[in-house]
mmCIF file of all heavy atoms in Angstrom:
data_model
loop_
_atom_site.group_PDB
_atom_site.id
_atom_site.type_symbol
_atom_site.label_atom_id
_atom_site.label_comp_id
_atom_site.label_asym_id
_atom_site.label_seq_id
_atom_site.Cartn_x
_atom_site.Cartn_y
_atom_site.Cartn_z
ATOM 1 N N VAL E 1 -0.211 -1.624 12.254
ATOM 2 C CA VAL E 1 0.214 -2.968 11.874
ATOM 3 C C VAL E 1 0.871 -2.838 10.511
ATOM 4 O O VAL E 1 0.214 -2.472 9.534
ATOM 5 C CB VAL E 1 -0.981 -3.948 11.812
ATOM 6 C CG1 VAL E 1 -0.511 -5.331 11.390
ATOM 7 C CG2 VAL E 1 -1.701 -3.994 13.160
ATOM 8 N N ALA E 2 2.161 -3.104 10.453
ATOM 9 C CA ALA E 2 2.911 -2.972 9.198
ATOM 10 C C ALA E 2 3.359 -4.347 8.730
ATOM 11 O O ALA E 2 3.968 -5.103 9.489
ATOM 12 C CB ALA E 2 4.119 -2.057 9.400
ATOM 13 N N LEU E 3 3.032 -4.649 7.485
ATOM 14 C CA LEU E 3 3.390 -5.934 6.884
ATOM 15 C C LEU E 3 4.140 -5.697 5.587
ATOM 16 O O LEU E 3 3.860 -4.730 4.871
ATOM 17 C CB LEU E 3 2.133 -6.758 6.609
ATOM 18 C CG LEU E 3 1.269 -7.094 7.831
ATOM 19 C CD1 LEU E 3 -0.043 -7.712 7.387
ATOM 20 C CD2 LEU E 3 2.021 -8.026 8.774
ATOM 21 N N ASP E 4 5.061 -6.600 5.285
ATOM 22 C CA ASP E 4 5.815 -6.446 4.047
ATOM 23 C C ASP E 4 5.068 -7.057 2.869
ATOM 24 O O ASP E 4 4.180 -7.879 3.037
ATOM 25 C CB ASP E 4 7.220 -7.049 4.172
ATOM 26 C CG ASP E 4 7.216 -8.569 4.275
ATOM 27 O OD1 ASP E 4 6.225 -9.140 4.783
ATOM 28 O OD2 ASP E 4 8.197 -9.182 3.856
ATOM 29 N N ALA E 5 5.435 -6.616 1.700
ATOM 30 C CA ALA E 5 4.858 -7.124 0.450
ATOM 31 C C ALA E 5 6.012 -7.468 -0.485
ATOM 32 O O ALA E 5 7.130 -6.975 -0.329
ATOM 33 C CB ALA E 5 3.952 -6.074 -0.180
ATOM 34 N N ALA E 6 5.729 -8.304 -1.468
ATOM 35 C CA ALA E 6 6.764 -8.772 -2.388
ATOM 36 C C ALA E 6 7.104 -7.751 -3.465
ATOM 37 O O ALA E 6 8.156 -7.851 -4.101
ATOM 38 C CB ALA E 6 6.332 -10.085 -3.030
ATOM 39 N N SER E 7 6.203 -6.776 -3.684
ATOM 40 C CA SER E 7 6.440 -5.794 -4.742
ATOM 41 C C SER E 7 5.563 -4.566 -4.513
ATOM 42 O O SER E 7 4.609 -4.607 -3.739
ATOM 43 C CB SER E 7 6.110 -6.389 -6.117
ATOM 44 O OG SER E 7 4.716 -6.628 -6.214
ATOM 45 N N LYS E 8 5.897 -3.503 -5.222
ATOM 46 C CA LYS E 8 5.080 -2.289 -5.181
ATOM 47 C C LYS E 8 3.678 -2.605 -5.708
ATOM 48 O O LYS E 8 2.675 -2.137 -5.165
ATOM 49 C CB LYS E 8 5.745 -1.213 -6.044
ATOM 50 C CG LYS E 8 5.004 0.089 -6.105
ATOM 51 C CD LYS E 8 5.765 1.113 -6.949
ATOM 52 C CE LYS E 8 5.021 2.414 -7.079
ATOM 53 N NZ LYS E 8 5.768 3.422 -7.849
ATOM 54 N N GLU E 9 3.612 -3.432 -6.727
ATOM 55 C CA GLU E 9 2.322 -3.807 -7.319
ATOM 56 C C GLU E 9 1.464 -4.582 -6.323
ATOM 57 O O GLU E 9 0.242 -4.410 -6.276
ATOM 58 C CB GLU E 9 2.536 -4.625 -8.597
ATOM 59 C CG GLU E 9 3.157 -3.844 -9.743
ATOM 60 C CD GLU E 9 4.661 -3.551 -9.568
ATOM 61 O OE1 GLU E 9 5.358 -4.297 -8.850
ATOM 62 O OE2 GLU E 9 5.120 -2.538 -10.134
ATOM 63 N N GLU E 10 2.108 -5.432 -5.508
ATOM 64 C CA GLU E 10 1.352 -6.174 -4.500
ATOM 65 C C GLU E 10 0.777 -5.219 -3.461
ATOM 66 O O GLU E 10 -0.367 -5.374 -3.025
ATOM 67 C CB GLU E 10 2.217 -7.234 -3.823
ATOM 68 C CG GLU E 10 1.420 -8.067 -2.828
ATOM 69 C CD GLU E 10 2.233 -9.137 -2.141
ATOM 70 O OE1 GLU E 10 3.396 -8.874 -1.757
ATOM 71 O OE2 GLU E 10 1.688 -10.241 -1.968
ATOM 72 N N VAL E 11 1.549 -4.204 -3.051
ATOM 73 C CA VAL E 11 1.046 -3.199 -2.118
ATOM 74 C C VAL E 11 -0.196 -2.539 -2.722
ATOM 75 O O VAL E 11 -1.240 -2.431 -2.074
ATOM 76 C CB VAL E 11 2.118 -2.128 -1.799
ATOM 77 C CG1 VAL E 11 1.504 -0.978 -1.002
ATOM 78 C CG2 VAL E 11 3.290 -2.735 -1.048
ATOM 79 N N GLN E 12 -0.092 -2.098 -3.973
ATOM 80 C CA GLN E 12 -1.207 -1.422 -4.634
ATOM 81 C C GLN E 12 -2.422 -2.340 -4.750
ATOM 82 O O GLN E 12 -3.561 -1.907 -4.575
ATOM 83 C CB GLN E 12 -0.763 -0.919 -6.009
ATOM 84 C CG GLN E 12 0.263 0.191 -5.916
ATOM 85 C CD GLN E 12 0.933 0.497 -7.248
ATOM 86 O OE1 GLN E 12 1.025 -0.345 -8.142
ATOM 87 N NE2 GLN E 12 1.422 1.735 -7.380
ATOM 88 N N GLU E 13 -2.190 -3.618 -5.032
ATOM 89 C CA GLU E 13 -3.289 -4.587 -5.162
ATOM 90 C C GLU E 13 -4.011 -4.764 -3.821
ATOM 91 O O GLU E 13 -5.247 -4.764 -3.768
ATOM 92 C CB GLU E 13 -2.735 -5.927 -5.645
ATOM 93 C CG GLU E 13 -3.787 -6.995 -5.808
ATOM 94 C CD GLU E 13 -3.192 -8.325 -6.248
ATOM 95 O OE1 GLU E 13 -2.110 -8.337 -6.871
ATOM 96 O OE2 GLU E 13 -3.819 -9.351 -5.959
ATOM 97 N N ILE E 14 -3.256 -4.895 -2.743
ATOM 98 C CA ILE E 14 -3.862 -5.063 -1.414
ATOM 99 C C ILE E 14 -4.682 -3.827 -1.047
ATOM 100 O O ILE E 14 -5.808 -3.938 -0.558
ATOM 101 C CB ILE E 14 -2.782 -5.344 -0.353
ATOM 102 C CG1 ILE E 14 -2.175 -6.733 -0.584
ATOM 103 C CG2 ILE E 14 -3.350 -5.234 1.063
ATOM 104 C CD1 ILE E 14 -0.922 -7.004 0.216
ATOM 105 N N ILE E 15 -4.122 -2.653 -1.300
ATOM 106 C CA ILE E 15 -4.836 -1.410 -0.974
ATOM 107 C C ILE E 15 -6.127 -1.309 -1.794
ATOM 108 O O ILE E 15 -7.179 -0.933 -1.271
ATOM 109 C CB ILE E 15 -3.938 -0.178 -1.201
ATOM 110 C CG1 ILE E 15 -2.715 -0.226 -0.290
ATOM 111 C CG2 ILE E 15 -4.725 1.115 -1.011
ATOM 112 C CD1 ILE E 15 -2.997 -0.270 1.196
ATOM 113 N N SER E 16 -6.059 -1.663 -3.075
ATOM 114 C CA SER E 16 -7.265 -1.636 -3.926
ATOM 115 C C SER E 16 -8.327 -2.590 -3.407
ATOM 116 O O SER E 16 -9.517 -2.236 -3.344
ATOM 117 C CB SER E 16 -6.899 -1.990 -5.368
ATOM 118 O OG SER E 16 -6.115 -0.975 -5.925
ATOM 119 N N LYS E 17 -7.919 -3.798 -3.028
ATOM 120 C CA LYS E 17 -8.869 -4.779 -2.484
ATOM 121 C C LYS E 17 -9.470 -4.259 -1.180
ATOM 122 O O LYS E 17 -10.664 -4.420 -0.935
ATOM 123 C CB LYS E 17 -8.173 -6.116 -2.238
ATOM 124 C CG LYS E 17 -7.877 -6.900 -3.485
ATOM 125 C CD LYS E 17 -7.192 -8.207 -3.125
ATOM 126 C CE LYS E 17 -6.850 -9.025 -4.350
ATOM 127 N NZ LYS E 17 -6.153 -10.271 -3.982
ATOM 128 N N ALA E 18 -8.637 -3.653 -0.344
ATOM 129 C CA ALA E 18 -9.124 -3.131 0.935
ATOM 130 C C ALA E 18 -10.159 -2.032 0.714
ATOM 131 O O ALA E 18 -11.215 -2.023 1.359
ATOM 132 C CB ALA E 18 -7.948 -2.608 1.768
ATOM 133 N N GLN E 19 -9.872 -1.114 -0.200
ATOM 134 C CA GLN E 19 -10.835 -0.038 -0.504
ATOM 135 C C GLN E 19 -12.141 -0.620 -1.022
ATOM 136 O O GLN E 19 -13.224 -0.184 -0.621
ATOM 137 C CB GLN E 19 -10.250 0.916 -1.538
ATOM 138 C CG GLN E 19 -9.317 1.945 -0.958
ATOM 139 C CD GLN E 19 -8.959 2.977 -2.001
ATOM 140 O OE1 GLN E 19 -8.150 2.713 -2.890
ATOM 141 N NE2 GLN E 19 -9.558 4.141 -1.893
ATOM 142 N N ALA E 20 -12.054 -1.595 -1.919
ATOM 143 C CA ALA E 20 -13.257 -2.208 -2.481
ATOM 144 C C ALA E 20 -14.081 -2.917 -1.407
ATOM 145 O O ALA E 20 -15.301 -3.008 -1.515
ATOM 146 C CB ALA E 20 -12.880 -3.191 -3.596
ATOM 147 N N ALA E 21 -13.402 -3.388 -0.353
ATOM 148 C CA ALA E 21 -14.093 -4.093 0.730
ATOM 149 C C ALA E 21 -14.562 -3.151 1.831
ATOM 150 O O ALA E 21 -15.121 -3.596 2.828
ATOM 151 C CB ALA E 21 -13.166 -5.165 1.307
ATOM 152 N N GLY E 22 -14.332 -1.832 1.685
ATOM 153 C CA GLY E 22 -14.855 -0.868 2.634
ATOM 154 C C GLY E 22 -13.828 -0.151 3.487
ATOM 155 O O GLY E 22 -14.204 0.638 4.361
ATOM 156 N N ALA E 23 -12.547 -0.387 3.269
ATOM 157 C CA ALA E 23 -11.506 0.299 4.042
ATOM 158 C C ALA E 23 -11.423 1.764 3.642
ATOM 159 O O ALA E 23 -11.804 2.144 2.542
ATOM 160 C CB ALA E 23 -10.147 -0.367 3.809
ATOM 161 N N GLN E 24 -10.890 2.568 4.564
ATOM 162 C CA GLN E 24 -10.660 3.984 4.305
ATOM 163 C C GLN E 24 -9.157 4.230 4.263
ATOM 164 O O GLN E 24 -8.426 3.725 5.111
ATOM 165 C CB GLN E 24 -11.265 4.836 5.425
ATOM 166 C CG GLN E 24 -12.762 4.682 5.574
ATOM 167 C CD GLN E 24 -13.507 5.210 4.361
ATOM 168 O OE1 GLN E 24 -13.238 6.297 3.885
ATOM 169 N NE2 GLN E 24 -14.444 4.415 3.861
ATOM 170 N N LEU E 25 -8.704 4.979 3.270
ATOM 171 C CA LEU E 25 -7.299 5.356 3.223
ATOM 172 C C LEU E 25 -7.070 6.450 4.255
ATOM 173 O O LEU E 25 -7.875 7.360 4.384
ATOM 174 C CB LEU E 25 -6.911 5.858 1.837
ATOM 175 C CG LEU E 25 -7.100 4.868 0.683
ATOM 176 C CD1 LEU E 25 -6.600 5.487 -0.613
ATOM 177 C CD2 LEU E 25 -6.398 3.553 0.964
ATOM 178 N N TYR E 26 -5.989 6.366 4.998
ATOM 179 C CA TYR E 26 -5.704 7.418 5.972
ATOM 180 C C TYR E 26 -4.400 8.136 5.680
ATOM 181 O O TYR E 26 -4.037 9.071 6.387
ATOM 182 C CB TYR E 26 -5.706 6.886 7.414
ATOM 183 C CG TYR E 26 -4.554 5.970 7.748
ATOM 184 C CD1 TYR E 26 -3.334 6.483 8.193
ATOM 185 C CD2 TYR E 26 -4.682 4.602 7.626
ATOM 186 C CE1 TYR E 26 -2.280 5.655 8.507
ATOM 187 C CE2 TYR E 26 -3.632 3.771 7.933
ATOM 188 C CZ TYR E 26 -2.433 4.301 8.381
ATOM 189 O OH TYR E 26 -1.394 3.465 8.677
ATOM 190 N N ALA E 27 -3.699 7.718 4.634
ATOM 191 C CA ALA E 27 -2.451 8.377 4.234
ATOM 192 C C ALA E 27 -2.240 8.144 2.747
ATOM 193 O O ALA E 27 -2.710 7.155 2.187
ATOM 194 C CB ALA E 27 -1.270 7.836 5.030
ATOM 195 N N GLU E 28 -1.546 9.063 2.128
ATOM 196 C CA GLU E 28 -1.186 8.915 0.725
ATOM 197 C C GLU E 28 -0.042 7.908 0.612
ATOM 198 O O GLU E 28 0.741 7.741 1.563
ATOM 199 C CB GLU E 28 -0.739 10.260 0.147
ATOM 200 C CG GLU E 28 -1.845 11.292 0.064
ATOM 201 C CD GLU E 28 -2.966 10.879 -0.864
ATOM 202 O OE1 GLU E 28 -2.674 10.373 -1.961
ATOM 203 O OE2 GLU E 28 -4.138 11.054 -0.485
ATOM 204 N N PRO E 29 0.091 7.242 -0.543
ATOM 205 C CA PRO E 29 1.228 6.332 -0.699
ATOM 206 C C PRO E 29 2.540 7.117 -0.627
ATOM 207 O O PRO E 29 2.598 8.283 -1.013
ATOM 208 C CB PRO E 29 1.021 5.724 -2.085
ATOM 209 C CG PRO E 29 0.067 6.613 -2.786
ATOM 210 C CD PRO E 29 -0.738 7.325 -1.738
ATOM 211 N N GLN E 30 3.556 6.465 -0.092
ATOM 212 C CA GLN E 30 4.878 7.068 0.024
ATOM 213 C C GLN E 30 5.855 6.248 -0.818
ATOM 214 O O GLN E 30 5.951 5.038 -0.633
ATOM 215 C CB GLN E 30 5.347 7.082 1.481
ATOM 216 C CG GLN E 30 4.420 7.831 2.415
ATOM 217 C CD GLN E 30 4.365 9.309 2.106
ATOM 218 O OE1 GLN E 30 5.390 9.963 1.964
ATOM 219 N NE2 GLN E 30 3.153 9.848 2.008
ATOM 220 N N ASP E 31 6.564 6.905 -1.718
ATOM 221 C CA ASP E 31 7.545 6.217 -2.565
ATOM 222 C C ASP E 31 8.905 6.870 -2.348
ATOM 223 O O ASP E 31 9.121 8.021 -2.718
ATOM 224 C CB ASP E 31 7.138 6.308 -4.041
ATOM 225 C CG ASP E 31 7.933 5.369 -4.920
ATOM 226 O OD1 ASP E 31 9.027 4.919 -4.508
ATOM 227 O OD2 ASP E 31 7.461 5.073 -6.028
ATOM 228 N N TYR E 32 9.796 6.124 -1.703
ATOM 229 C CA TYR E 32 11.130 6.618 -1.404
ATOM 230 C C TYR E 32 12.174 6.064 -2.380
ATOM 231 O O TYR E 32 13.357 6.189 -2.150
ATOM 232 C CB TYR E 32 11.524 6.242 0.023
ATOM 233 C CG TYR E 32 10.565 6.787 1.059
ATOM 234 C CD1 TYR E 32 9.573 5.983 1.607
ATOM 235 C CD2 TYR E 32 10.645 8.114 1.474
ATOM 236 C CE1 TYR E 32 8.684 6.481 2.555
ATOM 237 C CE2 TYR E 32 9.753 8.624 2.414
ATOM 238 C CZ TYR E 32 8.789 7.798 2.946
ATOM 239 O OH TYR E 32 7.904 8.297 3.879
ATOM 240 N N GLY E 33 11.718 5.445 -3.442
ATOM 241 C CA GLY E 33 12.635 4.826 -4.398
ATOM 242 C C GLY E 33 12.973 3.406 -3.984
ATOM 243 O O GLY E 33 12.624 2.456 -4.665
ATOM 244 N N TRP E 34 13.576 3.258 -2.842
ATOM 245 C CA TRP E 34 13.941 1.928 -2.330
ATOM 246 C C TRP E 34 12.832 1.308 -1.471
ATOM 247 O O TRP E 34 12.819 0.122 -1.193
ATOM 248 C CB TRP E 34 15.231 2.011 -1.512
ATOM 249 C CG TRP E 34 15.099 2.893 -0.295
ATOM 250 C CD1 TRP E 34 15.216 4.252 -0.245
ATOM 251 C CD2 TRP E 34 14.788 2.474 1.028
ATOM 252 N NE1 TRP E 34 15.000 4.706 1.036
ATOM 253 C CE2 TRP E 34 14.745 3.629 1.849
ATOM 254 C CE3 TRP E 34 14.549 1.237 1.617
ATOM 255 C CZ2 TRP E 34 14.467 3.588 3.197
ATOM 256 C CZ3 TRP E 34 14.274 1.193 2.979
ATOM 257 C CH2 TRP E 34 14.240 2.362 3.752
ATOM 258 N N MET E 35 11.854 2.158 -1.063
ATOM 259 C CA MET E 35 10.744 1.672 -0.238
ATOM 260 C C MET E 35 9.453 2.328 -0.707
ATOM 261 O O MET E 35 9.414 3.524 -0.982
ATOM 262 C CB MET E 35 10.988 2.010 1.233
ATOM 263 C CG MET E 35 9.880 1.499 2.152
ATOM 264 S SD MET E 35 10.232 1.719 3.914
ATOM 265 C CE MET E 35 9.859 3.452 4.113
#
């Protein structure tokens, strides 16, 4: 399930909240410059 975010910071904030709520990361963040 892929959803868009308004900024890189929003992506990081959602991931941080998810981890704090018990989620597991399954991939490292990917930064392509434009994405």
Side-chain angles (χ1 to χ4, degrees):
V1 179
L3 300 171
D4 69 331
S7 67
K8 179 178 178 178
E9 293 74 25
E10 183 180 41
V11 171
Q12 293 168 334
E13 180 182 335
I14 291 168
I15 298 301
S16 292
K17 286 180 181 178
Q19 278 189 284
Q24 299 294 313
L25 300 183
Y26 69 87
E28 293 297 317
Q30 301 294 311
D31 193 340
Y32 301 99
W34 62 277
M35 181 173 78

